[in-house]
Amino acid sequence: MEDVIGIIVAPIIIFMIFVAPIWLILHYRSKRKMSQGLSEQEVAEMKALSHQAEAMGERIKTLEAILDAESPQWRNRA
């Protein structure tokens, strides 16, 4: 019985000494970073990505219009 308790207690102690503190530090560091919001660089990147997505959407609409004109049944093939 004491061997079973020793087998269970040893990993718990190792976890509490090494893993738990690192886990808590990383958890609260990420929480703090999330509460600060986006940085200026991240906002600029989001705006650039949004602009690229809008441009890509327009390109897709143009390509679909071309395909509709040249091959009206192209949507049914997929």
Side-chain angles (χ1 to χ4, degrees), residues 17-68:
I17 291 174
F18 296 107
V19 178
I22 294 170
W23 188 359
L24 288 172
I25 290 168
L26 294 175
H27 171 73
Y28 284 110
R29 184 186 300 170
S30 69
K31 283 280 200 185
R32 183 179 29 167
K33 190 172 185 178
M34 291 295 288
S35 68
Q36 291 176 350
L38 298 175
S39 69
E40 290 181 25
Q41 179 184 1
E42 291 170 332
V43 170
E45 289 176 2
M46 291 291 285
K47 287 181 182 179
L49 288 173
S50 175
H51 178 68
Q52 288 177 348
E54 289 173 6
M56 189 179 294
E58 290 299 319
R59 290 182 187 133
I60 290 170
K61 287 178 187 177
T62 303
L63 289 172
E64 287 179 344
I66 292 169
L67 282 170
D68 286 336

Side-chain angles (χ1 to χ4, degrees), residues 64-77:
E64 287 179 344
I66 292 169
L67 282 170
D68 286 336
E70 291 184 4
S71 177
Q73 299 298 323
W74 72 272
R75 293 179 193 262
N76 297 332
R77 292 184 197 162

